[in-house]
Amino acid sequence: MIASLYYFLPVLVANAVPVLVRRLNFLNIPISTSLFGKNKTVRGFVCGVSAGMLVYAVQYFLFYLDILSGISLINYVDMPILLGLLLPLGALLGDLFESYVKRRLHKKPGSNWYPYDQYDFIVGALIVSAPVYIVQGPVLLIALTVIPLLSFISSKLAVKLQMKG
Protein backbone atom coordinates (compact mmCIF):
# COMPACT_ATOMS: atom_id res chain seq x y z
CA MET A 1 0.00 0.00 0.00
CA ILE A 2 2.87 2.40 0.75
CA ALA A 3 4.24 1.93 -2.78
CA SER A 4 0.84 2.79 -4.24
CA LEU A 5 0.48 5.93 -2.17
CA TYR A 6 4.06 6.91 -3.00
CA TYR A 7 3.36 6.48 -6.71
CA PHE A 8 0.25 8.69 -6.47
CA LEU A 9 1.97 11.38 -4.37
CA PRO A 10 2.28 13.78 -7.37
CA VAL A 11 -1.46 13.34 -7.95
CA LEU A 12 -2.34 13.98 -4.31
CA VAL A 13 -0.13 17.07 -4.17
CA ALA A 14 -1.49 18.42 -7.46
CA ASN A 15 -5.03 18.00 -6.13
CA ALA A 16 -4.27 19.74 -2.80
CA VAL A 17 -2.13 22.67 -3.97
CA PRO A 18 -4.89 24.75 -5.64
CA VAL A 19 -6.65 25.04 -2.29
CA LEU A 20 -3.40 25.93 -0.53
CA VAL A 21 -2.50 28.75 -2.96
CA ARG A 22 -5.94 30.31 -3.32
CA ARG A 23 -5.00 33.31 -1.18
CA LEU A 24 -1.98 34.17 -3.35
CA ASN A 25 -2.59 37.19 -5.52
CA PHE A 26 -1.25 36.13 -8.91
CA LEU A 27 -2.87 34.43 -11.89
CA ASN A 28 -6.16 34.71 -10.03
CA ILE A 29 -8.06 34.37 -13.28
CA PRO A 30 -10.94 31.91 -13.61
CA ILE A 31 -10.24 29.38 -16.36
CA SER A 32 -13.87 29.70 -17.51
CA THR A 33 -16.61 30.79 -15.15
CA SER A 34 -19.34 29.51 -17.46
CA LEU A 35 -17.76 26.07 -17.90
CA PHE A 36 -16.15 25.38 -14.52
CA GLY A 37 -17.32 28.05 -12.08
CA LYS A 38 -15.33 30.88 -10.55
CA ASN A 39 -13.19 28.73 -8.22
CA LYS A 40 -11.16 26.99 -10.95
CA THR A 41 -8.34 29.43 -11.63
CA VAL A 42 -5.26 29.56 -13.80
CA ARG A 43 -3.26 30.00 -10.57
CA GLY A 44 -4.60 26.79 -9.05
CA PHE A 45 -4.12 24.82 -12.25
CA VAL A 46 -0.56 26.02 -12.91
CA CYS A 47 0.53 25.70 -9.28
CA GLY A 48 -1.07 22.28 -8.89
CA VAL A 49 0.51 20.81 -12.02
CA SER A 50 3.88 22.42 -11.19
CA ALA A 51 3.85 21.11 -7.61
CA GLY A 52 2.95 17.60 -8.80
CA MET A 53 5.77 17.72 -11.35
CA LEU A 54 8.19 18.85 -8.63
CA VAL A 55 7.17 15.93 -6.42
CA TYR A 56 7.71 13.54 -9.33
CA ALA A 57 11.16 15.07 -9.97
CA VAL A 58 12.08 14.53 -6.31
CA GLN A 59 10.86 10.93 -6.55
CA TYR A 60 13.01 10.48 -9.68
CA PHE A 61 16.14 11.77 -7.97
CA LEU A 62 15.49 9.77 -4.80
CA PHE A 63 15.17 6.66 -6.95
CA TYR A 64 18.31 7.56 -8.90
CA LEU A 65 20.23 7.98 -5.62
CA ASP A 66 18.75 4.66 -4.40
CA ILE A 67 16.88 6.42 -1.60
CA LEU A 68 13.32 5.14 -1.14
CA SER A 69 13.71 2.93 -4.20
CA GLY A 70 12.49 0.06 -2.03
CA ILE A 71 9.02 1.59 -1.86
CA SER A 72 8.91 2.70 -5.48
CA LEU A 73 6.26 1.07 -7.61
CA ILE A 74 8.11 1.99 -10.79
CA ASN A 75 11.68 2.41 -11.91
CA TYR A 76 11.69 6.19 -12.30
CA VAL A 77 14.97 6.16 -14.23
CA ASP A 78 13.58 3.87 -16.94
CA MET A 79 10.14 5.51 -17.00
CA PRO A 80 9.52 8.32 -19.51
CA ILE A 81 9.76 11.66 -17.67
CA LEU A 82 6.47 12.55 -19.38
CA LEU A 83 4.73 10.57 -16.64
CA GLY A 84 5.76 13.35 -14.23
CA LEU A 85 3.61 15.77 -16.23
CA LEU A 86 0.72 13.44 -17.04
CA LEU A 87 -0.06 12.38 -13.47
CA PRO A 88 -0.66 15.89 -12.03
CA LEU A 89 -2.11 17.18 -15.30
CA GLY A 90 -4.61 14.31 -15.32
CA ALA A 91 -5.54 15.00 -11.70
CA LEU A 92 -6.45 18.60 -12.45
CA LEU A 93 -8.14 17.80 -15.77
CA GLY A 94 -10.27 15.25 -13.91
CA ASP A 95 -11.16 17.93 -11.37
CA LEU A 96 -12.05 20.36 -14.17
CA PHE A 97 -14.25 17.76 -15.85
CA GLU A 98 -16.10 17.12 -12.59
CA SER A 99 -16.60 20.88 -12.14
CA TYR A 100 -17.94 21.07 -15.68
CA VAL A 101 -20.51 18.36 -14.91
CA LYS A 102 -21.43 20.08 -11.62
CA ARG A 103 -22.16 23.31 -13.49
CA ARG A 104 -24.39 21.47 -15.97
CA LEU A 105 -26.29 19.95 -13.02
CA HIS A 106 -26.61 23.42 -11.43
CA LYS A 107 -24.62 22.53 -8.33
CA LYS A 108 -23.11 25.49 -6.48
CA PRO A 109 -19.37 26.21 -6.96
CA GLY A 110 -17.45 24.75 -4.04
CA SER A 111 -20.34 22.57 -2.92
CA ASN A 112 -19.63 18.98 -1.96
CA TRP A 113 -20.63 16.34 -4.47
CA TYR A 114 -19.93 13.01 -2.86
CA PRO A 115 -18.47 10.66 -4.08
CA TYR A 116 -17.43 12.38 -7.30
CA ASP A 117 -15.27 14.98 -5.54
CA GLN A 118 -13.15 12.12 -4.19
CA TYR A 119 -12.74 10.30 -7.52
CA ASP A 120 -12.38 13.03 -10.15
CA PHE A 121 -8.67 13.66 -9.68
CA ILE A 122 -7.58 10.03 -9.33
CA VAL A 123 -9.61 8.84 -12.34
CA GLY A 124 -8.30 11.79 -14.37
CA ALA A 125 -4.72 10.89 -13.45
CA LEU A 126 -5.25 7.22 -14.32
CA ILE A 127 -6.76 8.06 -17.72
CA VAL A 128 -4.30 10.77 -18.78
CA SER A 129 -1.21 8.81 -17.67
CA ALA A 130 -2.39 5.52 -19.25
CA PRO A 131 -0.44 6.01 -22.51
CA VAL A 132 2.77 5.93 -20.46
CA TYR A 133 1.93 3.62 -17.55
CA ILE A 134 -1.17 1.59 -16.71
CA VAL A 135 -1.80 0.90 -13.04
CA GLN A 136 -3.15 -2.59 -12.43
CA GLY A 137 -4.14 -5.07 -9.74
CA PRO A 138 -3.84 -4.15 -6.08
CA VAL A 139 -2.41 -0.73 -6.93
CA LEU A 140 -5.52 0.10 -8.95
CA LEU A 141 -7.69 -1.16 -6.09
CA ILE A 142 -5.87 1.11 -3.63
CA ALA A 143 -6.13 4.02 -6.07
CA LEU A 144 -9.89 3.57 -6.28
CA THR A 145 -10.56 2.89 -2.58
CA VAL A 146 -7.92 4.22 -0.20
CA ILE A 147 -7.03 7.44 -2.03
CA PRO A 148 -10.66 8.65 -2.36
CA LEU A 149 -11.17 7.83 1.33
CA LEU A 150 -8.06 9.85 2.24
CA SER A 151 -9.36 12.68 0.05
CA PHE A 152 -12.71 12.62 1.84
CA ILE A 153 -11.11 12.64 5.30
CA SER A 154 -8.62 15.38 4.44
CA SER A 155 -11.34 17.61 2.96
CA LYS A 156 -13.44 17.23 6.14
CA LEU A 157 -10.40 18.11 8.26
CA ALA A 158 -9.63 21.12 6.07
CA VAL A 159 -13.18 22.43 6.49
CA LYS A 160 -12.94 22.04 10.28
CA LEU A 161 -9.57 23.84 10.32
CA GLN A 162 -10.98 26.68 8.19
CA MET A 163 -13.87 27.09 10.62
CA LYS A 164 -11.43 27.43 13.55
CA GLY A 165 -9.08 29.83 11.68
Side-chain angles (χ1 to χ4, degrees), residues 28-40:
N28 191 18
I29 306 158
I31 295 171
S32 172
T33 305
S34 62
L35 293 178
F36 309 116
K38 63 180 180 176
N39 296 332
K40 301 301 176 191

Side-chain angles (χ1 to χ4, degrees), residues 6-18 20-21 43-60 76 81-92 125:
Y6 184 71
Y7 173 78
F8 285 107
L9 197 54
V11 173
L12 293 165
V13 168
N15 187 55
V17 162
L20 299 174
V21 300
R43 175 194 54 224
F45 196 86
V46 168
C47 289
V49 171
S50 298
M53 290 172 59
L54 180 62
V55 168
Y56 187 88
V58 169
Q59 289 174 314
Y60 174 92
Y76 288 87
I81 198 75
L82 178 63
L83 185 60
L85 167 65
L86 296 179
L87 285 168
L89 179 64
L92 293 182

